[in-house]
Amino acid sequence: MEDRRGEWVVLQVSGEMDLVTSPAVRQHIHDAVAEGRHWLVLDLSEVRFCDSSGVGVLIAARRLMRSCSGRLRLILPPQDAAHGSHVHRVLAALGVRRLFDVYPDLGAATELDGDDEEAAADPLSA
């Protein structure tokens, strides 16, 4: 479920993000932050279903990462993709899709841009 790509912690989520599974996803996010990992990619490309508790985890993760000057990126297939587009539709329907930095694949999500390179050069202080 967890992988590391340079500065990024990648959490692979598959199946459903619902009332039963969302607490485990939330715990993995909190564990990564507790370990000092503040750049997080959530790979949701294999999530078939997401309810309000799953969306709540995503919004809480965004808030947590912002509070520690971290970064959160989501991997979601394009909206028109047959496989994995459910999360895209749910986020768009709730009007929260714009809150997230969304990428089509792991390579794009973990690529450093100018802002990331500056942040990587300046370690976060407690």
Side-chain angles (χ1 to χ4, degrees):
M1 182 168 189
E2 181 179 318
D3 187 18
R4 296 200 179 172
R5 298 285 176 113
E7 297 292 328
W8 296 95
V9 171
V10 181
L11 296 178
Q12 171 74 39
V13 183
S14 61
E16 300 180 354
M17 282 184 62
D18 58 18
L19 187 61
V20 174
T21 59
S22 290
V25 175
R26 181 185 317 267
Q27 188 61 52
H28 283 289
I29 293 166
H30 283 271
D31 290 347
V33 171
E35 293 171 5
R37 306 292 292 192
H38 297 152
W39 290 16
L40 179 65
V41 174
L42 292 177
D43 184 349
L44 306 176
S45 58
E46 299 294 323
V47 173
R48 296 182 317 272
F49 176 79
C50 181
D51 67 9
S52 60
S53 59
V55 173
V57 167
L58 298 178
I59 291 171
R62 178 182 181 270
R63 189 177 316 124
L64 175 62
M65 299 314 287
R66 290 174 63 95
S67 74
C68 65
S69 300
R71 288 177 169 59
L72 174 66
R73 293 180 175 177
L74 305 181
I75 297 175
L76 292 172
Q79 250 181 324
D80 57 352
H83 177 67
S85 61
H86 178 78
V87 177
H88 240 301
R89 288 192 308 268
V90 169
L91 295 177
L94 294 173
V96 297
R97 164 56 188 83
R98 63 182 168 70
L99 298 176
F100 299 98
D101 294 329
V102 174
Y103 295 82
D105 56 48
L106 183 59
T110 57
E111 186 175 294
L112 295 179
D113 59 30
D115 291 339
D116 293 334
E117 289 171 0
E118 288 176 25
D122 299 326
L124 299 171
S125 58

